[in-house]
Amino acid sequence: MNFTTLQSRVTEYLDRTDIAVKVASWINDTRKDISLKYNFNYLYTETTFTTSANTATYNLPTDYLGHLTVWVQHKKLARLLPREADELTQTDTDATDALLYLPTENALTDASEDITDAPDYYIDRGMQIQLYPTPDDDYTITLKYYAQPTDFTVGADYDYISTFHFEAVIFGAALRGAIFLDDEQKKMNFAAAYSSALGEMVKREKDTKLTDQHIRMKSYKDYDLSTFNRLLKIRT
């Protein structure tokens, strides 16, 4: 269902023709909200940036939603939780002291050293990541993550969510409209409809993933020799 049709349906549900601009923003807000409810494959993306020597912290993309993996060339960086990283520092999170006893590709680091090298770890700090060791040169960093859907701007715009889960988009946008209009009855109706549509969306997506999985029959290669002989009742 394209943007124009979605706007028309939401307007009909709200029984208002004077809020077209707001309806457009409610539809885009709802699509972003839906993208937080399920990890849609079509929203999985990647981007790259180049580090600067002696700079450890970098901003994440503005459309970042989560499930980050970080690569330096062909090496996947290990993730450290902020608490884990902070507990391994001598001082606070703003200090430049190296982390205590973290194995890196080239050494076992010590807190008395200010380590700069090719990064081996990353720390997720909200909308920023901190690399450790601090890069000592220019490195190409690849970020793989789930992104927000881009806003619809013209009538012909559509995407996966608006095609396969258009009811969730319509009811979510209508709920936002009912809240704006302060219509209690419509709020209750659209809240229930949106919740139901989200539940159906998640169920359908999970069912699709199960259906898309390929079934592979086991062969003798899946067993060690003793187990294979036992299954076939071969005495050795």
Side-chain angles (χ1 to χ4, degrees):
M1 189 173 288
N2 65 26
F3 195 24
T4 296
T5 306
L6 289 171
Q7 289 173 290
S8 176
R9 294 285 295 276
V10 173
T11 301
E12 289 173 4
Y13 274 117
L14 293 173
D15 196 23
R16 293 285 293 265
T17 59
D18 57 338
I19 51 175
V21 175
K22 289 184 172 59
V23 168
S25 67
W26 295 335
I27 288 171
N28 282 320
D29 288 344
T30 299
R31 291 172 56 245
K32 292 174 183 175
D33 182 54
I34 290 172
S35 68
L36 291 169
K37 304 290 193 286
Y38 194 84
N39 295 326
F40 293 99
N41 290 334
Y42 90 101
L43 292 176
Y44 193 65
T45 188
E46 67 177 62
T47 190
T48 61
F49 68 88
T50 303
T51 63
S52 299
N54 302 313
T55 301
T57 303
Y58 299 86
N59 292 328
L60 289 170
T62 56
D63 63 353
Y64 171 70
L65 281 183
H67 295 271
L68 179 69
T69 57
V70 184
W71 299 74
V72 178
Q73 277 80 40
H74 301 293
K75 178 176 67 176
K76 182 180 179 181
L77 302 190
R79 182 188 181 197
L80 283 174
L81 296 175
R83 179 176 177 179
E84 293 173 328
D86 296 344
E87 287 177 351
L88 291 168
T89 58
Q90 287 186 321
T91 53
D92 60 32
T93 59
D94 294 325
T96 57
D97 296 293
L99 304 180
L100 280 167
Y101 305 119
L102 276 175
T104 67
E105 190 171 353
N106 298 321
L108 185 66
T109 68
D110 182 84
S112 63
E113 299 172 326
D114 187 9
I115 301 297
T116 59
D117 206 337
D120 291 288
Y121 300 88
Y122 77 93
I123 300 107
D124 186 344
R125 296 193 182 278
M127 289 302 292
Q128 293 182 317
I129 58 168
Q130 176 187 342
L131 302 177
Y132 182 80
T134 298
D136 62 343
D137 203 343
D138 296 344
Y139 296 95
T140 298
I141 304 292
T142 300
L143 305 177
K144 299 184 179 183
Y145 63 99
Y146 285 97
Q148 293 181 17
T150 56
D151 282 351
F152 289 165
T153 57
V154 298
D157 284 346
Y158 71 98
D159 65 358
Y160 180 91
I161 292 175
S162 71
T163 299
F164 294 99
H165 305 297
F166 57 86
E167 285 192 339
V169 178
I170 292 169
F171 291 138
L175 173 59
R176 283 168 166 75
I179 293 171
F180 173 79
L181 297 171
D182 198 24
D183 188 318
E184 291 298 328
Q185 185 60 52
K186 282 187 170 66
K187 275 193 237 180
M188 289 189 293
N189 292 343
F190 291 132
Y194 186 42
S195 178
S196 176
L198 289 176
E200 181 60 29
M201 177 196 74
V202 172
K203 179 180 182 301
R204 189 181 307 166
E205 288 294 321
K206 287 182 176 179
D207 289 345
T208 300
K209 279 192 174 181
L210 289 173
T211 303
D212 288 345
Q213 289 179 349
H214 296 289
I215 299 174
R216 186 182 70 85
M217 302 301 292
K218 286 187 175 182
S219 72
Y220 71 92
K221 295 180 179 179
D222 294 293
Y223 304 98
D224 58 54
L225 182 59
S226 61
T227 302
F228 184 71
N229 289 340
R230 179 174 56 81
L231 291 172
L232 294 181
K233 298 181 179 179
I234 297 174
R235 294 182 179 181
T236 57

